[in-house]
């Protein structure tokens, strides 16, 4: 049997209601804040991610699904959503419509990662991007959205960590100091770190190799070298977060795995597993980097699989799959055709109705009605057709109601049962 590729998952019909519940909660929240959904291609020109995400990141160096298409172009399955969203923003001139542009997406992402708990090769992100404002208020607003998502999903074991990684101006000063620190012992770092030393020494602080982590202890931190503008921005973000009762910690070790970030960066951590379930920050240079006019921006993405784990744990089965209002059991050709007509009319009234489409026996249909947890049962047999009277049975309580075999009468009974 052919199995699914490593690091992918099937989301089965029995679980999909949980996904739909979470997705619709989040999309409602985002619409409440005035965000509009965007959908961009699954694959883009590889160069978009090389330039956007950064040549020296793990994502670009090790994790991209890149291939040559039949026309000889280098194509990459999107490993994240921000670069594609910004490309679409520039290409479609969204800046000339409503400013700032506030968009959100719910998309599958692809990274060739070491598969482990919470780390997949195909995963989903729900993300937001606010493009066109440098105000600290936008940073605060996206963090507020993040908090609202977890609150509305009933998840409270979340820790919010915050940092500022400055702007190109203060970062270049800081990088000189960091290089001095690392340079003295560069031989002891892994080869990836060595290769990043010249172009992007800050990436070295994010290395997961134990020996590099050890070497990084005591390294100078960006947050201590911010320029006045970045410092003020960060102070403002912190102040307004506090006045909105956001509980956060400063974590000066957050550098994030993507190169486009500037100033504020943040992560929402699952306190139980330690996994980052939402990550984001400001990226003031990305629009220009990708060929647009200089435009500041900020956003985040939450990993839906990780979020679902937390939701299931917090929800403890309180959100349940919907059950059909009615199963129509019918035996015989005439009866089946009558049943299909009635089912169709009841659906016009908004009821969820199923009927047999396999010409199965009475017993088999009863079994099926039971399996799908139909709330009510209506039997149409020869007697019912002759007498024009049918019985509707409440499958939970066993109560039975006799009604005229007329659509309005059936609707009335089902409506009464509903309340
Ligand atoms: P990221 O931190 O790379 O940021 O990913 C965001 C979230 O996606 C992570 O916090 C995690 O929950 C989830 N995630 C990432 N990789 C995996 C994986 N292999 N398996 C399962 N879940 C994963 C971004 O992608 C940025 N584009 C976020 C952003 C939007 N920044 C600004 N705007």
């Amino acid at each position: 049997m052919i199995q699914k590729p490593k690091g992918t998952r099937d989301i089965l019909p029995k679980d999909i209601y949980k996904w739909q519940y979470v997705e619709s909660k989040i999309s409602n929240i985002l619409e409440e804040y005035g965000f509009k959904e965007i959908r961009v291609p699954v694959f883009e020109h590889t160069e978009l991610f090389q330039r956007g995400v950064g040549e020296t990141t793990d994502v670009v160096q090790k994790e991209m699904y890149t291939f040559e298409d039949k026309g000889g172009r280098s194509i990459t399955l999107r490993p994240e959503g921000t670069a594609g969203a910004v490309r679409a923003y520039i290409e479609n001139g969204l800046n000339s419509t409503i400013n700032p542009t506030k968009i959100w997406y719910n998309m599958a992402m692809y990274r060739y990662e070491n598969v482990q708990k919470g780390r997949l090769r195909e995963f989903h992100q729900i993300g937001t991007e606010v493009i066109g404002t440098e105000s600290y208020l936008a940073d605060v607003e996206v963090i507020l959205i993040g908090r609202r998502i977890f609150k509305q999903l009933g998840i409270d074991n979340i820790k919010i960590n915050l940092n500022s990684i400055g702007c190109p101006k203060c970062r270049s000063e800081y990088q000189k100091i960091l290089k001095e620190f690392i340079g003295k012992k560069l031989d002891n770092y892994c080869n990836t770190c060595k290769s990043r030393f010249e172009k992007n020494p800050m990436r070295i602080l994010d290395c997961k190799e134990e020996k590099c982590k050890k070497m990084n202890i005591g390294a100078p931190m960006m947050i201590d070298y911010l320029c006045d503008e970045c410092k003020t921005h960060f102070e403002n973000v912190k102040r307004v977060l506090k006045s909105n009762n956001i509980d956060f910690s400063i974590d000066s070790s957050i550098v994030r795995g993507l190169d486009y970030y500037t100033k504020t960066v943040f992560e929402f951590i699952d306190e139980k597993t330690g996994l980052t379930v939402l990550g984001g920050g400001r990226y003031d240079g990305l629009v220009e980097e990708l060929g647009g006019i200089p435009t500041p921006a900020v956003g985040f993405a939450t990993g839906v699989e990780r979020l679902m784990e937390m939701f299931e744990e917090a929800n403890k089965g309180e959100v349940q799959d919907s059950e059909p209002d009615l199963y129509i059991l019918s035996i015989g050709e005439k009866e089946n055709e009558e049943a299909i007509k009635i089912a169709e009319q009841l659906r016009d009234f908004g009821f969820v109705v199923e009927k047999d489409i396999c010409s199965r026996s009475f017993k088999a249909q009863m079994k099926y009605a039971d399996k799908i947890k139909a709330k009510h049962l209506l039997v149409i047999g020869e007697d019912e057709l002759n007498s024009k009277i049918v019985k509707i049975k409440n499958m939970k309580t066993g109560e039975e109601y006799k009604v005229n075999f007329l659509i309005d009468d059936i609707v009335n009974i089902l409506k009464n049962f509903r309340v």
Side-chain angles (χ1 to χ4, degrees):
M1 193 199 62
I2 299 169
Q3 295 186 333
K4 59 186 180 314
K6 188 173 172 188
T8 65
R9 277 174 55 177
D10 299 312
I11 305 162
L12 297 175
K14 72 174 177 53
D15 294 318
I16 201 70
Y17 72 95
K18 291 176 233 165
W19 282 71
Q20 289 167 338
Y21 177 87
V22 166
E23 287 169 341
S24 84
K25 276 265 175 205
I26 300 178
S27 65
N28 285 344
I29 292 171
L30 291 163
E31 302 277 332
E32 278 166 15
Y33 283 83
F35 285 65
K36 298 280 179 209
E37 188 182 353
I38 188 167
R39 296 184 189 181
V40 295
V42 169
F43 58 88
E44 299 268 4
H45 293 291
T46 301
E47 193 192 349
L48 176 72
F49 303 113
Q50 287 169 335
R51 273 172 52 190
V53 173
E55 295 271 16
T56 53
T57 58
D58 274 353
V59 170
V60 170
Q61 285 187 337
K62 302 178 186 168
E63 295 168 3
M64 292 207 303
Y65 279 89
T66 298
F67 59 96
E68 204 171 88
D69 73 4
K70 292 192 194 321
R73 300 167 201 92
S74 180
I75 294 292
T76 293
L77 301 186
R78 61 179 174 228
E80 61 98 52
T82 309
V86 168
R87 197 252 329 119
Y89 166 86
I90 300 167
E91 192 168 342
N92 297 287
L94 298 188
N95 61 328
S96 61
T97 52
I98 296 169
N99 200 48
T101 298
K102 299 194 288 184
I103 48 182
W104 70 273
Y105 48 81
N106 178 5
M107 306 191 297
M109 307 292 165
Y110 302 86
R111 296 185 192 176
Y112 192 79
E113 300 221 48
N114 275 334
V115 178
Q116 49 191 281
K117 192 174 160 50
R119 199 166 283 283
L120 294 158
R121 290 186 177 165
E122 182 191 62
F123 60 98
H124 297 80
Q125 284 186 346
I126 299 181
T128 65
E129 314 293 352
V130 181
I131 311 174
T133 170
E134 62 186 359
S135 170
Y136 60 91
L137 295 172
D139 309 28
V140 171
E141 184 148 298
V142 293
I143 294 171
L144 288 174
I145 294 174
R147 174 179 67 171
R148 190 171 289 269
I149 289 173
F150 288 93
K151 216 168 160 188
Q152 287 214 1
L153 293 175
I155 301 169
D156 45 32
N157 50 330
I158 274 287
K159 188 171 185 312
I160 302 176
N161 289 339
L162 200 66
N163 193 19
S164 174
I165 55 169
C167 62
K169 205 172 76 193
C170 49
R171 206 180 294 165
S172 71
E173 282 306 304
Y174 162 71
Q175 281 181 348
K176 277 186 213 153
I177 296 160
L178 181 64
K179 277 169 93 171
E180 255 173 54
F181 175 87
I182 295 171
K184 287 183 215 150
K185 41 190 180 174
L186 190 61
D187 284 349
N188 301 326
Y189 279 89
C190 71
N191 285 339
T192 311
C193 284
K194 281 180 195 147
S195 73
R196 289 171 175 174
F197 181 71
E198 281 307 328
K199 270 196 177 161
N200 199 346
M202 270 171 88
R203 281 263 71 79
I204 295 176
L205 297 180
D206 208 22
C207 184
K208 304 284 178 282
E209 292 264 341
E210 280 310 320
K211 65 172 178 183
C212 304
K213 274 189 185 165
K214 235 185 235 160
M215 301 303 295
N216 285 336
I217 294 170
M221 288 299 177
M222 182 69 238
I223 198 165
D224 299 320
Y225 296 89
L226 296 177
C227 63
D228 286 346
E229 191 199 321
C230 289
K231 217 184 265 171
T232 308
H233 185 96
F234 198 45
E235 289 307 317
N236 284 332
V237 171
K238 288 190 289 185
R239 190 185 66 256
V240 186
L241 286 179
K242 275 184 196 147
S243 71
N244 279 280
N245 300 319
I246 294 259
D247 200 6
F248 63 87
S249 310
I250 303 299
D251 179 354
S252 57
S253 71
I254 302 179
V255 287
R256 309 275 302 126
L258 314 157
D259 273 355
Y260 45 65
Y261 290 111
T262 53
K263 294 184 176 165
T264 320
V265 286
F266 51 88
E267 292 182 341
F268 286 40
I269 312 289
D270 176 347
E271 286 184 307
K272 193 174 154 206
T273 61
L275 287 171
T276 305
V277 69
L278 179 152
R282 180 159 278 287
Y283 51 95
D284 290 344
L286 183 60
V287 178
E288 190 180 8
E289 177 65 39
L290 295 178
I293 51 172
T295 311
V298 60
F300 71 71
T302 177
V304 188
E305 282 78 4
R306 294 183 188 182
L307 184 63
M308 287 307 301
E309 290 262 325
M310 297 189 80
F311 171 71
E312 283 180 24
E313 176 96 15
N315 171 59
K316 298 269 186 264
E318 268 165 52
V319 174
Q320 294 200 342
D321 202 0
S322 63
E323 294 162 349
D325 293 304
L326 181 70
Y327 181 80
I328 304 180
L329 193 161
S330 58
I331 304 280
E333 200 177 326
K334 242 175 40 201
E335 291 78 2
N336 277 336
E337 286 171 20
E338 201 55 43
I340 212 163
K341 244 169 38 195
I342 287 282
E344 203 54 11
Q345 286 170 11
L346 287 171
R347 291 182 194 120
D348 286 343
F349 283 88
F351 291 108
V352 178
V353 183
E354 282 200 53
K355 74 159 298 299
D356 173 61
I357 44 173
C358 309
S359 297
R360 281 193 280 217
S361 69
F362 186 92
K363 206 170 142 201
Q365 288 192 50
M366 278 306 285
K367 230 178 178 175
Y368 181 83
D370 218 40
K371 242 188 197 164
I372 61 168
K373 299 196 176 96
K375 290 182 202 153
H376 306 101
L377 179 76
L378 186 156
V379 178
I380 303 178
E382 208 180 338
D383 287 353
E384 283 78 12
L385 280 194
N386 289 337
S387 67
K388 300 267 181 278
I389 303 262
V390 288
K391 270 193 249 162
I392 298 177
K393 182 173 177 181
N394 182 321
M395 298 287 273
K396 289 226 167 80
T397 62
E399 281 172 281
E400 274 190 347
Y401 289 81
K402 269 191 185 168
V403 289
N404 292 325
F405 191 26
L406 294 169
I407 189 75
D408 286 348
D409 289 26
I410 298 171
V411 165
N412 265 340
I413 289 288
L414 291 178
K415 273 191 180 155
N416 283 338
F417 271 142
R418 251 185 186 174
V419 282

